[in-house]
Amino acid sequence: MENIAYYNGKISPIEEMMIPMNERSSWFGDGVYDAMFTMEHVPLSLDDHLKRFYRSAAAIDIKIPMPYDELRALVIDLCKKVDSPVAMAYVQVTRGVGMRGHAYRFAGDKPSVWVFVKPDYMDPLDKSYRCITHEDTRYYYCNIKTINLLPAVLYTEKAESAGCDEAILHRGDRVTECAHSNVHILRDGVFQTAPCDNLILPGITRAHRIAQCREMGIPVVEEPFTLEEMMAADEVIFTSCSALCCRIGEIDGKPVGGRAPELFERIKKAALDEAYSEAGIVRL
Ligand code: PLP
């Protein structure tokens, strides 16, 4: 199939799936999600993503009405059914369906489970990316992967209108993350990234790059950095499930990074090796 959707037990192509108007997602964005990419139909870091998904749901008092192993098997099965070996696999849970009313009691007592898999592509790792900076005007739930993504939509549109790939967010001088990825710097041989507080999403890809840096003996610092420090860094990198290790070469029209290419290449190679190995791809 070209793509596939699951909603509360129903399965169909995404375009044909009908969702009730009283879905709390449409009234309030009252739900959480997670997303991962497949290679050779294998959803990468599946358990990390699903564990974060259950944690996000618990953080907003939603109990996912499907045991972990059942959801895991469903995602794996749907990924196999989609023709494209590279795809996005997406899971979502909302508080359910009920007449519009803010309090939980207006929701039925059955949260809705959504899954879809659609063909997609991963950001090339040999490209130099261009970004804009933007004041981070989001709220303080950035550590929960909620479906309330209006700020990310607006930031992404601004970046694209400027001919750029991502928007790097900052609260005052402090860099937080990007519209849909985490941002890191390399300086003096150290991988530095913002700490996991309520100002950033604890990215799965971020965690993997940190673990690999530590394994390779590259020091890691999880401390905030400023816009000025980012502009002066040896390299600036963004990561997400679709951007395993991407180098930023220009921010707000000014060249950045490019001063630690070997270190960057080591981290990038480790990222690629990990993904290929998980997908069972043998590289000659
Ligand atoms: N930060 C934000 C705001 C995101 O939306 C995402 C991914 O969607 C990330 C970071 C990266 O997270 P991950 O590496 O788990 O994809």
Side-chain angles (χ1 to χ4, degrees):
M1 297 177 73
E2 194 184 324
N3 67 54
I4 194 160
Y6 167 100
Y7 176 73
N8 288 341
K10 286 175 275 175
I11 291 191
S12 75
I14 299 173
E15 298 90 335
E16 290 168 23
M17 184 62 78
M18 304 297 285
I19 305 295
M21 187 167 175
N22 262 344
E23 248 294 341
R24 300 270 298 186
S25 49
S26 56
W27 300 140
F28 305 111
D30 190 2
V32 293
Y33 76 106
D34 219 293
M36 65 217 95
F37 269 69
T38 69
M39 266 188 188
E40 292 303 321
H41 305 276
V42 176
L44 300 177
S45 306
L46 172 63
D47 286 306
D48 291 331
H49 285 282
L50 288 186
K51 280 181 198 157
R52 182 174 64 187
F53 180 50
Y54 279 78
R55 276 199 305 276
S56 299
I60 64 162
D61 307 319
I62 292 181
K63 188 172 182 318
I64 298 176
M66 191 184 276
Y68 183 93
D69 288 342
E70 196 180 320
L71 179 60
R72 188 177 192 281
L74 175 66
V75 172
I76 290 173
D77 183 47
L78 297 184
C79 289
K80 285 191 196 128
K81 288 196 160 72
V82 166
D83 303 332
S84 173
V86 182
M88 175 197 268
Y90 180 102
V91 290
Q92 177 170 302
V93 66
T94 64
R95 207 172 301 282
V97 179
M99 274 303 168
R100 190 178 186 284
H102 287 69
Y104 294 179
R105 64 191 159 79
F106 290 98
D109 58 1
K110 204 176 163 302
S112 304
V113 176
W114 315 43
V115 185
F116 73 73
V117 183
K118 69 166 175 96
D120 214 323
Y121 67 92
M122 298 180 78
D123 294 330
L125 302 193
D126 50 2
K127 174 179 160 182
S128 175
Y129 288 84
R130 301 171 67 210
C131 296
I132 58 164
T133 56
H134 196 289
E135 183 69 35
D136 190 343
T137 52
R138 301 173 302 170
Y139 48 12
Y140 293 96
Y141 295 107
C142 302
N143 52 325
I144 303 172
K145 207 161 167 56
T146 101
I147 55 178
N148 292 271
L149 292 176
L150 180 60
V153 168
L154 300 178
Y155 304 149
T156 303
E157 191 57 26
K158 278 205 170 169
E160 285 202 2
S161 308
C164 291
D165 306 288
E166 240 306 15
I168 301 174
L169 308 177
H170 56 94
R171 295 196 189 235
D173 202 27
R174 175 181 167 176
V175 177
T176 52
E177 58 177 340
C178 300
H180 37 78
S181 56
N182 291 114
V183 62
H184 327 281
I185 56 173
L186 298 179
R187 60 171 173 173
D188 301 330
V190 175
F191 181 99
Q192 184 169 352
T193 190
C196 285
D197 51 20
N198 61 354
L199 301 185
I200 71 158
L201 182 79
I204 302 299
T205 323
R206 169 190 180 279
H208 280 237
R209 292 302 76 84
I210 288 176
Q212 289 184 313
C213 280
R214 291 199 166 121
E215 270 165 34
M216 293 188 287
I218 300 166
V220 175
V221 173
E222 293 182 67
E223 278 171 20
F225 53 86
T226 64
L227 282 169
E228 208 178 317
E229 287 167 330
M230 177 176 73
M231 298 305 288
D234 296 330
E235 301 288 354
V236 188
I237 302 168
F238 70 95
T239 60
S240 74
C241 59
S242 64
L244 298 178
C245 185
C246 291
R247 173 195 233 151
I248 300 170
E250 189 189 296
I251 300 175
D252 292 337
K254 299 184 196 92
V256 294
R259 284 187 288 273
E262 281 167 23
L263 185 54
F264 172 77
E265 287 300 323
R266 273 181 76 199
I267 301 170
K268 182 179 106 177
K269 181 177 180 308
L272 259 183
D273 286 350
E274 181 188 73
Y276 282 130
S277 149
E278 194 178 354
I281 298 171
V282 181
R283 286 196 295 167
L284 300 172

